[in-house]
Amino acid sequence: MKSMLTATLTASLCVMLAACERGAAPAAAVDAPSPEALTEHSAEFRREVIKVTDGVWVAIGYGIANSILLEGDDGLVIVDTMESRQAAAQVHAEFAAISRKPIKAVIYTHSHPDHIGGAAEFAGPGVAVIAHDDVGAHMDQLASELQPVITQRSLHMYGTKLPQGERVNIGIGGFLNLDAESTLDTVRPTQTFGEQLDLRIAGIDLQLRHAPGETDDQILVWLPQRGVLLCGDNFYKAFPNLYTIRGTRYRDPKRWAASLDAMRALQPRYLVPSHSRPLSGADPIASVLTDYRDAIRYVHDQTLRLMNRGLLPDEIAQQLQLPPHLAASPYLQPFYGKPSWSAKSIFAGNLGWYSGDPAELQPLPPDAQAQRIVALAGGLEAVDRQITAAIEAKDWQWALQLSGYALRVAPQHAAARDARIAALRALADAETNPPARDWYYTSAHTLAGDFSVPRREGKPSAAMLAGMPLRVFFDGMAVNLHAEDTLDQVIRVGLIFTDPDARYTYTVRRGVSELQAGIADDVALQVRVPTQVFKETLAGLRSPAMAIARDFDMERGSKLDFVRFMQLFEPQ
Ligand SMILES: [Zn+2]
């Protein structure tokens, strides 16, 4: 009897499982938002200082992110500080009109530049700057090793160089308040923590909690007496940026969803994100946060399911869509992140770059692939005809891909370039995800020669550079070495820094840098330089030729040889 029951159960389970196997991948087509919906989304960022509840204000629309003011008995706390000194000054003026009490502390919800770039506006001497333990290291990496590529990609994604008429909003803010004249004025944290920090500042009880999500160094700021939760970038009114197209290390959706669960458990009566407008009411907040975490878990879990069934990243991206009840949520519109991009990131975050298709193990390089595809099509003229047909059919993505092959084979080919610009503009016109839209428009303009996108935007303040460890500048040098010029050389340079004093030996050994403390006996060159001069020279605030001529003192070897040594590195 028992075995019959087992057999029946097993059989029915098999049938059920087989049915699941056959079932289509989770998908229910939901239309992308309309261009009008994106335009309406701009209302989210209209410039305003909103009083959330007693003692809590949030400034919206002064740049990409919000800045939050907490008023206590005898002082103020500022949470997040905008992207530049100039943007922060505008917010500071608004906050000063609300309260003249002294600022006691600045809190960073995380290390992204749009939350820390204007800190010096608020954080004078004696003001505590509080953040997660890892914020300093993340700040440094963005400011040195990855600075050029992240800057260029950010300016594409935020459409910072686009003419006014082509911008709508950037999904989580109206615009990025940054140009070549902007001052980047971050202050390094003076107090950090790992998991939890409870504080009383100006009579305000603050509970800070590590809450990894959009970044690993994200924190929550919870005001238990007032039921106010400041959630940084773990929630905003757009589908979460589980992957950002400007490039990022892996954002683990499971940890992000767990942080949302921690937020739900607090049962906040007010929710103040660092982008988009605040929410109030325990029930609506609970409902929105539940949808938000469900959307993240859905995308994560179903991506893994499809990975386990052997689908390739692009197949998963194409299939995966939110269930209709989540896709319809005004808080989950793909105005910033997208489920499709998230799926590819989740694939890479768990399995790395290899899709599993052996043709992608060691593929032809892009130029060779383009040559063969053009030949396969019957030559460039044949490709031109296909591009024209794609444009006429409004098959913009195909026109974009085809024109890419043609331009790899013939970079000066005007017809392909013009078609590519037309395709990029058409894709941008139809796109309602601002990062993609702005990237298409920016690419169209750079291809047309209207403008170029700089490798650096805004100038770091001298004070910000002074706060950065020397190690950061050496990290930047290492990844900017012209390795190919040094493959048969070993060059050792002694660097003596003054004010504060430090001594290093920088070795370039056949394509690789090594930094050691102290001055080695066999250095070919030895130079003495004030620490700040060295930092400002590497950060582009001083001309290297001028600085070396005037402020670098040679103790061994010639200045000309030292200039030659510095020319082994790409300008940072
Ligand atoms: Zn942000």
CSV table of all heavy atoms in Angstrom, one decimal, residues 237-259:
chain,number,residue,atom,x,y,z
A,237,LYS,N,12.4,55.7,-7.1
A,237,LYS,CA,11.2,55.5,-7.9
A,237,LYS,C,11.6,55.1,-9.4
A,237,LYS,O,11.5,56.0,-10.3
A,237,LYS,CB,10.3,56.7,-7.9
A,237,LYS,CG,8.9,56.4,-8.5
A,237,LYS,CD,8.0,57.6,-8.4
A,237,LYS,CE,6.6,57.2,-9.0
A,237,LYS,NZ,5.7,58.4,-8.9
A,238,ALA,N,12.2,54.0,-9.5
A,238,ALA,CA,12.5,53.4,-10.9
A,238,ALA,C,13.0,52.0,-10.6
A,238,ALA,O,13.4,51.7,-9.5
A,238,ALA,CB,13.7,54.2,-11.5
A,239,PHE,N,13.0,51.1,-11.6
A,239,PHE,CA,13.5,49.8,-11.5
A,239,PHE,C,15.0,49.9,-11.0
A,239,PHE,O,15.8,50.6,-11.5
A,239,PHE,CB,13.4,49.0,-12.8
A,239,PHE,CG,13.8,47.6,-12.6
A,239,PHE,CD1,12.9,46.6,-12.1
A,239,PHE,CD2,15.1,47.1,-12.8
A,239,PHE,CE1,13.3,45.3,-11.9
A,239,PHE,CE2,15.5,45.8,-12.6
A,239,PHE,CZ,14.6,44.9,-12.1
A,240,PRO,N,15.3,49.1,-10.0
A,240,PRO,CA,16.6,49.2,-9.4
A,240,PRO,C,17.8,48.9,-10.4
A,240,PRO,O,17.6,48.1,-11.2
A,240,PRO,CB,16.6,48.2,-8.2
A,240,PRO,CG,15.5,47.2,-8.6
A,240,PRO,CD,14.5,48.1,-9.3
A,241,ASN,N,18.8,49.7,-10.2
A,241,ASN,CA,20.0,49.5,-11.1
A,241,ASN,C,20.8,48.4,-10.7
A,241,ASN,O,21.9,48.5,-10.2
A,241,ASN,CB,20.8,50.8,-11.1
A,241,ASN,CG,21.2,51.2,-12.5
A,241,ASN,OD1,20.7,50.7,-13.5
A,241,ASN,ND2,22.1,52.2,-12.6
A,242,LEU,N,20.3,47.2,-10.9
A,242,LEU,CA,21.0,46.0,-10.5
A,242,LEU,C,22.3,45.9,-11.3
A,242,LEU,O,23.3,45.3,-10.9
A,242,LEU,CB,20.2,44.7,-10.7
A,242,LEU,CG,18.9,44.6,-9.9
A,242,LEU,CD1,18.1,43.4,-10.2
A,242,LEU,CD2,19.2,44.6,-8.4
A,243,TYR,N,22.3,46.5,-12.5
A,243,TYR,CA,23.5,46.7,-13.3
A,243,TYR,C,23.4,48.1,-13.8
A,243,TYR,O,22.4,48.5,-14.3
A,243,TYR,CB,23.6,45.7,-14.4
A,243,TYR,CG,24.8,46.0,-15.3
A,243,TYR,CD1,26.1,45.7,-14.8
A,243,TYR,CD2,24.7,46.7,-16.5
A,243,TYR,CE1,27.2,46.0,-15.6
A,243,TYR,CE2,25.8,47.0,-17.3
A,243,TYR,CZ,27.1,46.7,-16.8
A,243,TYR,OH,28.2,47.0,-17.5
A,244,THR,N,24.5,48.8,-13.8
A,244,THR,CA,24.6,50.1,-14.4
A,244,THR,C,25.4,50.1,-15.6
A,244,THR,O,26.5,49.5,-15.6
A,244,THR,CB,25.0,51.2,-13.4
A,244,THR,OG1,25.0,52.5,-14.2
A,244,THR,CG2,26.4,51.0,-12.9
A,245,ILE,N,25.0,50.7,-16.7
A,245,ILE,CA,25.7,50.6,-18.0
A,245,ILE,C,27.0,51.4,-18.0
A,245,ILE,O,27.8,51.3,-18.9
A,245,ILE,CB,24.8,50.9,-19.2
A,245,ILE,CG1,24.2,52.3,-19.1
A,245,ILE,CG2,23.8,49.8,-19.4
A,245,ILE,CD1,23.5,52.6,-20.4
A,246,ARG,N,27.2,52.3,-17.0
A,246,ARG,CA,28.5,53.0,-16.9
A,246,ARG,C,29.6,52.0,-16.4
A,246,ARG,O,30.7,52.3,-16.6
A,246,ARG,CB,28.4,54.2,-16.0
A,246,ARG,CG,28.3,53.9,-14.5
A,246,ARG,CD,28.4,55.2,-13.7
A,246,ARG,NE,28.3,54.9,-12.3
A,246,ARG,CZ,27.1,54.9,-11.6
A,246,ARG,NH1,26.0,55.1,-12.3
A,246,ARG,NH2,27.0,54.5,-10.4
A,247,GLY,N,29.1,50.8,-15.9
A,247,GLY,CA,30.1,49.8,-15.4
A,247,GLY,C,30.1,49.8,-13.9
A,247,GLY,O,30.1,50.9,-13.3
A,248,THR,N,30.2,48.6,-13.4
A,248,THR,CA,30.2,48.5,-11.9
A,248,THR,C,30.7,47.1,-11.6
A,248,THR,O,30.5,46.2,-12.4
A,248,THR,CB,28.8,48.7,-11.3
A,248,THR,OG1,28.8,48.5,-9.9
A,248,THR,CG2,27.8,47.8,-12.0
A,249,ARG,N,31.2,46.9,-10.4
A,249,ARG,CA,31.4,45.6,-9.9
A,249,ARG,C,30.0,45.0,-9.6
A,249,ARG,O,29.0,45.7,-9.6
A,249,ARG,CB,32.3,45.6,-8.7
A,249,ARG,CG,31.7,46.4,-7.5
A,249,ARG,CD,32.6,46.3,-6.3
A,249,ARG,NE,33.9,46.9,-6.5
A,249,ARG,CZ,34.9,46.8,-5.6
A,249,ARG,NH1,34.8,46.1,-4.5
A,249,ARG,NH2,36.0,47.5,-5.8
A,250,TYR,N,30.0,43.7,-9.4
A,250,TYR,CA,28.7,43.0,-9.3
A,250,TYR,C,27.9,43.5,-8.1
A,250,TYR,O,28.4,43.7,-7.0
A,250,TYR,CB,29.0,41.5,-9.1
A,250,TYR,CG,27.7,40.6,-9.0
A,250,TYR,CD1,26.7,40.8,-10.0
A,250,TYR,CD2,27.5,39.7,-8.0
A,250,TYR,CE1,25.6,40.0,-10.0
A,250,TYR,CE2,26.4,38.9,-8.0
A,250,TYR,CZ,25.4,39.0,-9.0
A,250,TYR,OH,24.3,38.2,-8.9
A,251,ARG,N,26.6,43.8,-8.4
A,251,ARG,CA,25.7,44.2,-7.3
A,251,ARG,C,24.8,43.0,-7.0
A,251,ARG,O,24.0,42.6,-7.8
A,251,ARG,CB,24.8,45.4,-7.9
A,251,ARG,CG,25.7,46.6,-8.2
A,251,ARG,CD,24.9,47.7,-8.8
A,251,ARG,NE,25.7,48.9,-8.9
A,251,ARG,CZ,25.3,50.1,-9.4
A,251,ARG,NH1,24.1,50.2,-9.8
A,251,ARG,NH2,26.1,51.1,-9.4
A,252,ASP,N,25.0,42.4,-5.9
A,252,ASP,CA,24.4,41.1,-5.6
A,252,ASP,C,22.9,41.3,-5.2
A,252,ASP,O,22.6,41.9,-4.2
A,252,ASP,CB,25.2,40.5,-4.4
A,252,ASP,CG,24.7,39.1,-4.0
A,252,ASP,OD1,23.6,38.8,-4.4
A,252,ASP,OD2,25.4,38.4,-3.3
A,253,PRO,N,22.1,40.8,-6.1
A,253,PRO,CA,20.6,41.1,-5.8
A,253,PRO,C,20.1,40.4,-4.5
A,253,PRO,O,19.2,40.9,-3.9
A,253,PRO,CB,19.9,40.4,-7.0
A,253,PRO,CG,21.0,40.3,-8.1
A,253,PRO,CD,22.3,40.1,-7.3
A,254,LYS,N,20.7,39.3,-4.1
A,254,LYS,CA,20.2,38.7,-2.9
A,254,LYS,C,20.5,39.5,-1.7
A,254,LYS,O,19.7,39.7,-0.8
A,254,LYS,CB,20.9,37.3,-2.7
A,254,LYS,CG,20.3,36.2,-3.6
A,254,LYS,CD,21.1,34.9,-3.6
A,254,LYS,CE,20.8,34.1,-2.3
A,254,LYS,NZ,21.5,32.8,-2.4
A,255,ARG,N,21.7,40.1,-1.7
A,255,ARG,CA,22.0,41.0,-0.6
A,255,ARG,C,21.1,42.3,-0.6
A,255,ARG,O,20.7,42.8,0.4
A,255,ARG,CB,23.5,41.4,-0.6
A,255,ARG,CG,24.4,40.2,-0.4
A,255,ARG,CD,25.9,40.6,-0.5
A,255,ARG,NE,26.3,41.2,0.8
A,255,ARG,CZ,27.5,41.9,0.9
A,255,ARG,NH1,28.3,42.1,-0.1
A,255,ARG,NH2,27.8,42.3,2.1
A,256,TRP,N,20.9,42.8,-1.8
A,256,TRP,CA,20.0,44.0,-2.0
A,256,TRP,C,18.6,43.7,-1.5
A,256,TRP,O,18.0,44.5,-0.7
A,256,TRP,CB,20.0,44.4,-3.5
A,256,TRP,CG,19.5,45.8,-3.7
A,256,TRP,CD1,18.6,46.5,-2.9
A,256,TRP,CD2,19.8,46.7,-4.8
A,256,TRP,NE1,18.3,47.7,-3.5
A,256,TRP,CE2,19.1,47.8,-4.6
A,256,TRP,CE3,20.6,46.5,-5.9
A,256,TRP,CZ2,19.1,48.9,-5.6
A,256,TRP,CZ3,20.7,47.6,-6.8
A,256,TRP,CH2,19.9,48.8,-6.6
A,257,ALA,N,18.1,42.5,-1.9
A,257,ALA,CA,16.7,42.2,-1.4
A,257,ALA,C,16.7,42.0,0.1
A,257,ALA,O,15.7,42.4,0.8
A,257,ALA,CB,16.3,40.9,-2.1
A,258,ALA,N,17.8,41.4,0.6
A,258,ALA,CA,17.8,41.2,2.1
A,258,ALA,C,17.9,42.6,2.8
A,258,ALA,O,17.3,42.8,3.9
A,258,ALA,CB,19.1,40.4,2.5
A,259,SER,N,18.5,43.6,2.2
A,259,SER,CA,18.5,44.9,2.8
A,259,SER,C,17.1,45.5,2.7
A,259,SER,O,16.7,46.2,3.7
A,259,SER,CB,19.5,45.8,2.1
A,259,SER,OG,20.9,45.3,2.3
